[in-house]
Amino acid sequence: MEHKVRSATVEHTREWGKRLGEGLRSGDVVTLRGDLGAGKTAFAQGVGEALGVTSHMTSPTFTFQQEYRGQLAKIEPGKQVRLIHMDLYRLKQPEEVEVIGVEDSFEEDTVCLIEWPEIAEDYLPDYRLDIEIIGSGESPREIVFRAREPEWEQRLLTMNI
């Protein structure tokens, strides 16, 4: 099932990320798709804000992944989690996904955000939320939330997405 929302500004995209972040649980995996400049990192920053990440989140394009400490706000109040933010844009072969240890991040105490997940499709868990941000530049965005499981569908409704 798909849920579509609009975002007119970078700040609004961050707010949608924050809204999602407030409803995340430990062990969640979220993929972020979209063109360069679509707002994937801004969305991730909103998730980080909701999880109480205090350091500035940037796109991990050259490091592949960055780890932050946070805590869940609403679903599991106060529970400490690792937020792993990945950017797989520079990977050329699916085998590289194994080399950098993407699957090692799918753990119970972790929330994992993956930008440019297409190359890792065979390594991603089935239970995840896929998000696509359509648009770039100064134009408004359409953010599409694709629930892959009925439970994600229910969770999105609870988050008013």
Side-chain angles (χ1 to χ4, degrees):
M1 183 66 131
E2 290 186 352
H3 295 259
K4 296 178 182 180
V5 299
R6 299 217 10 109
S7 174
T9 64
V10 172
E11 292 78 20
H12 199 205
T13 299
R14 270 191 206 97
E15 283 300 315
W16 281 113
K18 184 176 177 182
R19 184 177 295 189
L20 176 71
E22 289 171 347
L24 291 176
R25 300 176 185 159
S26 55
D28 281 345
V29 175
V30 177
T31 66
L32 299 168
R33 301 168 198 268
D35 292 337
L36 286 171
K40 295 178 297 294
T41 299
F43 189 93
Q45 289 168 339
V47 171
E49 183 181 340
L51 297 179
V53 171
T54 56
S55 55
H56 181 65
M57 290 179 64
T58 60
S59 180
T61 301
F62 295 101
T63 58
F64 296 114
Q65 69 180 20
Q66 292 177 348
E67 183 175 323
Y68 305 92
R69 289 278 171 209
Q71 62 181 340
L72 301 174
K74 291 187 177 180
I75 305 298
E76 302 170 272
K79 182 171 183 174
Q80 300 293 311
V81 292
R82 295 183 308 148
L83 173 61
I84 296 182
H85 181 201
M86 293 185 200
D87 184 328
L88 306 182
Y89 179 75
R90 292 184 41 231
L91 298 184
K92 302 294 181 220
Q93 302 294 324
E95 297 79 27
E96 293 174 298
V97 172
E98 271 187 71
V99 172
I100 65 168
V102 169
E103 289 177 294
D104 296 339
S105 299
F106 307 145
E107 297 180 358
E108 186 58 35
D109 68 338
T110 303
V111 169
C112 192
L113 301 175
I114 305 171
E115 295 186 32
W116 302 96
E118 295 82 359
I119 198 154
E121 192 66 41
D122 291 342
Y123 299 90
L124 299 175
D126 290 333
Y127 182 78
R128 67 177 190 265
L129 177 65
D130 293 325
I131 297 172
E132 182 177 9
I133 303 174
I134 301 167
S136 62
E138 297 300 316
S139 65
R141 310 291 196 268
E142 181 176 63
I143 303 173
V144 182
F145 297 80
R146 292 188 179 96
R148 298 177 55 90
E149 302 285 333
E151 185 181 336
W152 263 116
E153 174 68 24
Q154 191 59 41
R155 289 172 65 189
L156 290 173
L157 291 172
T158 301
M159 293 178 220
N160 294 317
I161 293 177

